[in-house]
Amino acid sequence: MNRDNKSRAIEDLKLEVIPRKAHGISRKGISENALKVLYRLHKAGYEAYLVGGGVRDLLLGRDPKDFDIATNATPDEVRKLFRNCRLVGRRFRLAHILFGRDVIEVATFRGHHTDPKKSKHTARSEDGMLLRDNVYGSIDEDAQRRDFTVNALYYNIADFSIRDYAGGVDDLNNRIIRLIGDPETRYREDPVRMLRAVRFAVKLDMTINPATAAPIETLAPLLQEIPSARMFEESLKLLQAGQGLATYKMLREYHLFEQLFPAVAAHFTEEHTSQTEQMLEQVLSSTDKRIANSQRINPAFLFAAMLWYPVVTRAEEMTFESGLSYYDAFMVAANDILDEQVKTVAIPRRFTAMVREIWQLQMRMTRRTGARAFKLLDESKFRAAFDLLEMRGAVEGGDTEVLGAWWRDFQRADQGGRQKMVRAINKVSNTRKPRRRKQAPRRRKPQSNSSS
Ligand code: ATP
Ligand code: MG
């Protein structure tokens, strides 16, 4: 316990082997497919271990999300053993063994990067980032390359013992997230480890050890170097894995959130009360609830909600500055914000297209006369658009809330009831003075959908 403020130096790593009778992991907790892979590797004479989240979560009495395997067999050797095998990854070459939809990831032990003969298998950027990491080594070396002590636990299929290289069992018991080695070096090698520290702290309800936490705020901007496609994957693991709200809050504490979503963070306030911040609370807590109830979730909805007020604000500024109609300004603003966003987090096009649809429906939902309301119900993204409208109602109150309530009733009503509701609106709008549409001078044309 007296080591708690320290990081764990690589030189200090001391292997502890915990025999089967002294730990609680039984093969019953491990998926059949993972066991098949472990046994096949073992029978072929290779070392084979369950490692990472599988061991960690079983020791915590939790259900592991997936089972990762480490071995001294090279990816090519693994492929020769399994017909259902696919090699993936450039930065980090791995074998995937496929069992229908279940994928077991098999990684060959990573080695050190100091041997110049191996330099073609490894590469570092100027700021120390590992661009390629395909030097193979022993299990001891592999343990030193893992991120956190609690992730460097290996379950040995040969004798069912656990190998603990970095005091991970102690840290599990004390609920501490601690990087292996010098934190700054490890973050520079791979800045995503900063996001992982937060993710695990929230998911496992643990505390980030002070030495591991200290450099994060300063090094957060290194995340800009990470390919935006990887950042997209990470952002889903952070926000759409069941504890999005708590994770968002901790990401903010460490100034990591703004690295992922700068356009959203531009609306942050000290009191956490801006419309954007209220919307984040709404959408993340609703996402968490849906996951808890095993309901479907869609990343497009999350991004549409997170970026809604930034787009609206931009559109309002633009109407004011350029004299564009609000509709045109909105389309330009939507393009601008999405173009900016995909630079840091590469939201795939199929999702940005949905985000736009959900946004456009916000405008269409205000116009309900004639057959319009009936037509909107048939839109494939109507339900998502309605959910966003209700969240906006909770944030904005007023007309938006009333509109949301109208749409809720409209959906619940039968055909006759719906017609009545629309007739009531037609009446109101007929009694209003006919408005002349003002044609604003067009100075800026909406761009073509450059990112959808
Ligand atoms: P979960 O799958 O529950 O999110 P996990 O710990 O299994 O958690 P994975 O991303 O599946 O996380 O990675 C498996 C293991 O690979 C980790 O436990 C860790 O040992 C190692 N690892 C993953 N990413 C990194 C990284 N960026 N740096 C160092 N080691 C890593
Ligand atoms: Mg895993």
Side-chain angles (χ1 to χ4, degrees), residues 51-54 56-57 64-66 68 91-92 105 145-148 150-154 186 190 192-193 196 199-200 203 230 234 237:
V51 67
R56 180 195 69 215
D57 293 354
K65 193 184 74 192
D66 48 35
D68 302 303
R91 194 179 61 90
F92 208 90
E105 214 166 82
R145 304 225 38 78
R146 303 255 156 201
D147 46 7
F148 303 104
V150 295
N151 285 348
L153 296 166
Y154 298 72
R186 301 308 309 280
D190 183 3
V192 168
R193 289 172 186 151
R196 290 173 60 87
R199 179 158 73 85
F200 292 129
K203 164 173 159 165
R230 185 171 176 214
E234 293 299 327
K237 289 189 207 165

Side-chain angles (χ1 to χ4, degrees), residues 338-390:
L338 282 175
D339 285 350
E340 278 168 41
Q341 182 55 66
V342 297
K343 283 184 197 148
T344 50
V345 172
I347 306 169
R349 284 178 185 203
R350 63 180 189 284
F351 293 133
T352 54
M354 273 184 229
V355 169
R356 280 172 218 276
E357 266 181 74
I358 294 169
W359 285 345
Q360 280 172 10
L361 285 168
Q362 299 307 301
M363 282 184 280
R364 287 181 57 196
M365 280 190 299
T366 57
R367 301 166 63 211
R368 293 158 289 168
T369 49
R372 288 190 180 103
F374 291 94
K375 276 198 192 133
L376 277 188
L377 286 185
D378 295 333
E379 289 284 341
S380 67
K381 287 286 151 287
F382 172 79
R383 184 66 210 195
F386 168 70
D387 288 343
L388 177 57
L389 178 66
E390 281 215 308

Side-chain angles (χ1 to χ4, degrees), residues 122-325:
T122 171
R124 244 175 230 271
S125 75
E126 274 171 23
D127 16 332
M129 198 161 82
L130 280 172
L131 303 174
R132 222 171 312 126
D133 192 1
N134 284 319
V135 179
Y136 303 125
S138 64
I139 182 171
D140 301 36
E141 291 170 302
D142 187 82
Q144 297 173 18
R145 304 225 38 78
R146 303 255 156 201
D147 46 7
F148 303 104
T149 60
V150 295
N151 285 348
L153 296 166
Y154 298 72
Y155 171 86
N156 190 351
I157 198 65
D159 61 5
F160 315 124
S161 66
I162 290 175
R163 298 168 83 87
D164 177 359
Y165 279 89
V169 170
D170 269 358
D171 282 347
L172 267 189
N173 291 332
N174 297 317
R175 310 199 81 82
I176 294 169
I177 299 293
R178 185 197 315 260
L179 270 175
I180 297 170
D182 171 55
E184 180 162 345
T185 311
R186 301 308 309 280
Y187 289 139
R188 286 189 183 280
E189 281 173 1
D190 183 3
V192 168
R193 289 172 186 151
M194 296 186 269
L195 300 175
R196 290 173 60 87
V198 169
R199 179 158 73 85
F200 292 129
V202 173
K203 164 173 159 165
L204 307 171
D205 191 19
M206 294 193 184
T207 315
I208 305 178
N209 138 275
T212 298
I216 295 183
E217 207 181 311
T218 318
L219 298 182
L222 291 177
L223 284 169
Q224 297 308 316
E225 315 288 316
I226 302 297
S228 53
R230 185 171 176 214
M231 291 286 263
F232 174 72
E233 300 296 328
E234 293 299 327
S235 70
L236 293 189
K237 289 189 207 165
L238 290 162
L239 302 177
Q240 284 209 318
Q243 310 219 44
L245 184 58
T247 307
Y248 147 70
K249 287 182 177 163
M250 199 183 287
L251 287 173
R252 266 191 84 162
E253 249 173 68
Y254 285 102
H255 296 267
L256 289 165
F257 192 87
E258 62 235 50
Q259 302 297 332
L260 293 160
F261 301 102
V264 177
H267 291 253
F268 283 173
T269 58
E270 220 154 283
E271 306 78 28
H272 293 221
T273 49
S274 69
Q275 291 187 321
T276 290
E277 287 161 307
Q278 293 179 53
M279 180 57 87
L280 278 167
E281 302 237 345
Q282 293 265 340
V283 70
L284 291 171
S285 64
S286 124
T287 304
D288 291 348
K289 263 189 224 129
R290 291 184 67 94
I291 293 169
N293 297 330
S294 327
Q295 285 171 284
R296 277 201 314 170
I297 42 160
N298 186 338
F301 180 75
L302 175 67
F303 295 121
M306 283 178 37
L307 294 166
W308 170 254
Y309 290 111
V311 170
V312 168
T313 311
R314 181 76 59 91
E316 281 165 1
E317 287 164 3
M318 227 172 249
T319 1
F320 185 72
E321 286 162 13
S322 68
L324 281 178
S325 74

Side-chain angles (χ1 to χ4, degrees), residues 45-111:
Y46 297 108
E47 293 173 52
Y49 298 86
L50 190 67
V51 67
V55 184
R56 180 195 69 215
D57 293 354
L58 286 176
L59 284 175
L60 287 170
R62 303 167 64 107
D63 221 0
K65 193 184 74 192
D66 48 35
F67 291 97
D68 302 303
I69 289 171
T71 178
N72 62 346
T74 64
D76 284 319
E77 288 168 337
V78 175
R79 184 165 51 183
K80 284 189 191 122
L81 281 180
F82 297 93
R83 266 195 337 185
N84 47 336
C85 174
R86 203 176 53 184
L87 300 189
V88 298
R90 259 167 54 92
R91 194 179 61 90
F92 208 90
R93 207 151 169 70
L94 294 170
H96 277 178
I97 320 287
L98 314 172
F99 298 89
R101 288 177 59 190
D102 188 21
V103 179
I104 305 291
E105 214 166 82
V106 181
T108 307
F109 297 145
R110 305 286 130 167

